[in-house]
Amino acid sequence: MLVHGAAAPYLPKNDIEALRASKSPPLLPDIAGPAPVEPTDPALTTALDHAFEEPAEPPYRRTKAVVIVHDGKVIAERYATGIGVDTPLIGFSMTKSVINALLGIMTQQGLTSPSLPAPVAEWRAASDPRREIEMEHLMRMTTGLALDETNSGFDPSSQMYLHDDMAGFAVNAPMIAQPGKRWAYSSATTQILARIIRDAVGGPEQTLAFAWRELFNPLGMRHVTLEFDARGTLQGSANMLASARDWAKLALLYLDDGVVGDKRILHEDWVSFSAAATLDTDYGAGFWTNRSEHPNARGRVRAGMPRDSFFASGTLGERAKASVTFPGAKVAA
């Protein structure tokens, strides 16, 4: 757990380690042993060689890790020098997909639902048009709020990181379009969802405990670090760290339709809901998706990425993908 700002809450290291050391075994069987898995298929070796091969000119790949899972087991992986199977790797906006998972768990437990009005106190006035914003609008980035992300350094989603209360900054944005009618990528909307999760489960420490108890420990994700802002809200828009195998385990949760072992932890409709395209984009709800007619999705399909694929994505090319490549063969990478 990392916190930013002088007023940030602090959870002792021993308490964090206790959360990681679950008394119950993971529901997900081990996907590999302690050593990196060497591929036995020459085609996989060639693919890994290509992934780690640096081009002569920029943009360089600088690949850190690749993990390929088939039928619930790692069948090939490779790591850059200084990185191993337990090394936490920053996921940047892949963290948005973790927020999706936490909301999927909360929906399964009856704590929230995509169709509910977003429980944001600042929007409750009868005359405030933002009271019409639903949870799904936040998840699909169709709130209509002036929170477009341009990465200019001056856009609201960039400025949000300058504030101790990141979500508190975001919820004060004015509305510029009707909810559900306009899509614009926005880390700030996911940060609002993170505050909703914090409030629903009872606070910063409870957020951490909920994430470990309900998501990370059942999946056997042991090398996770979460970051919080100074108000104790999970930085849900970016910055979670986890090992490459841990990220693959998150993909397996979605590949198996939200079921781990014999337990459903995501709502039964959650995976299809999350992978369904938003408006005319190739974005779903916390994931990018090929289940779309958008040119980007069609281009990925032409390049060989399955039509039913959807994936978590980070700004520097981090990916966790879920897809069914042919009948009976499931792959997460």
Side-chain angles (χ1 to χ4, degrees):
M1 174 181 177
L2 299 178
V3 290
H4 298 286
Y10 174 68
L11 191 63
K13 181 179 179 181
N14 289 344
D15 290 350
I16 298 173
E17 293 303 322
L19 291 172
R20 287 176 169 157
S22 172
K23 296 179 181 178
S24 302
L27 299 176
L28 182 70
D30 286 340
I31 63 174
V37 176
E38 295 293 334
T40 58
D41 186 333
L44 289 176
T45 300
T46 300
L48 290 175
D49 289 344
H50 177 70
F52 282 82
E53 182 181 49
E54 285 291 1
E57 297 180 353
Y60 299 114
R61 293 194 180 98
R62 296 191 172 94
T63 304
K64 299 295 189 295
V66 175
V67 175
I68 302 173
V69 180
H70 176 72
D71 284 343
K73 297 292 183 182
V74 177
I75 59 171
E77 60 186 334
R78 189 174 297 177
Y79 298 90
T81 301
I83 294 174
V85 297
D86 296 336
T87 304
L89 301 171
I90 192 164
F92 290 104
S93 284
M94 289 170 67
T95 310
K96 293 179 173 69
S97 302
V98 177
I99 291 295
N100 172 284
L102 295 176
L103 290 169
I105 293 167
M106 291 171 62
T107 299
Q108 174 67 5
Q109 296 179 0
L111 298 176
T112 189
S113 172
S115 62
L116 290 176
V120 176
E122 292 89 339
W123 302 346
R124 291 300 90 202
S127 60
D128 195 328
R130 297 174 300 180
R131 66 183 291 116
E132 302 300 324
I133 296 173
E134 298 176 357
M135 293 291 291
E136 182 173 358
H137 297 140
L138 287 165
M139 296 179 66
R140 294 192 178 278
M141 302 183 181
T142 58
T143 61
L145 296 176
L147 291 173
D148 295 15
E149 185 166 340
T150 64
N151 294 318
S152 66
F154 297 97
D155 60 278
S157 284
S158 297
Q159 294 177 351
M160 173 181 72
Y161 289 93
L162 301 176
H163 294 261
D164 285 348
D165 185 356
M166 294 166 60
F169 167 79
V171 298
N172 285 315
M175 181 170 282
I176 58 175
Q178 183 180 348
K181 301 298 184 181
R182 174 183 181 271
W183 181 86
Y185 188 79
S186 173
S187 290
T189 60
T190 307
Q191 192 58 31
I192 296 171
L193 288 169
R195 193 181 82 168
I196 290 171
I197 292 171
R198 181 202 69 186
D199 293 345
V201 300
E205 295 182 11
Q206 291 82 359
T207 300
L208 197 60
F210 183 84
W212 278 100
R213 182 181 67 250
E214 305 294 342
L215 180 63
F216 302 143
N217 282 331
L219 290 175
M221 296 174 65
R222 298 299 190 215
H223 308 285
V224 175
T225 298
L226 297 172
E227 296 194 18
F228 289 73
D229 71 10
R231 292 297 179 89
T233 303
L234 173 65
Q235 288 199 30
S237 56
N239 298 337
M240 189 182 101
L241 296 94
S243 70
R245 287 184 179 180
D246 283 347
W247 287 114
K249 291 173 182 177
L250 180 69
L252 281 172
L253 171 65
Y254 285 81
L255 191 64
D256 292 329
D257 196 36
V259 176
V260 187
D262 60 355
K263 181 180 180 181
R264 171 166 292 284
I265 68 171
L266 302 181
H267 189 274
E268 61 182 356
D269 300 322
W270 196 257
V271 173
S272 59
F273 162 78
S274 301
T278 299
L279 300 179
D280 58 354
T281 75
D282 62 332
Y283 190 77
F287 289 86
W288 296 91
T289 184
N290 278 7
R291 303 178 186 186
S292 164
E293 295 306 317
H294 189 275
N296 290 345
R298 298 177 69 177
R300 290 190 294 265
V301 173
R302 287 194 299 270
M305 191 173 174
R307 178 73 165 82
D308 65 351
S309 298
F310 58 101
F311 57 96
S313 178
T315 187
L316 297 182
E318 302 85 5
R319 298 287 186 272
K321 181 181 75 174
S323 67
V324 179
T325 55
F326 54 87
K330 296 181 178 180
V331 175

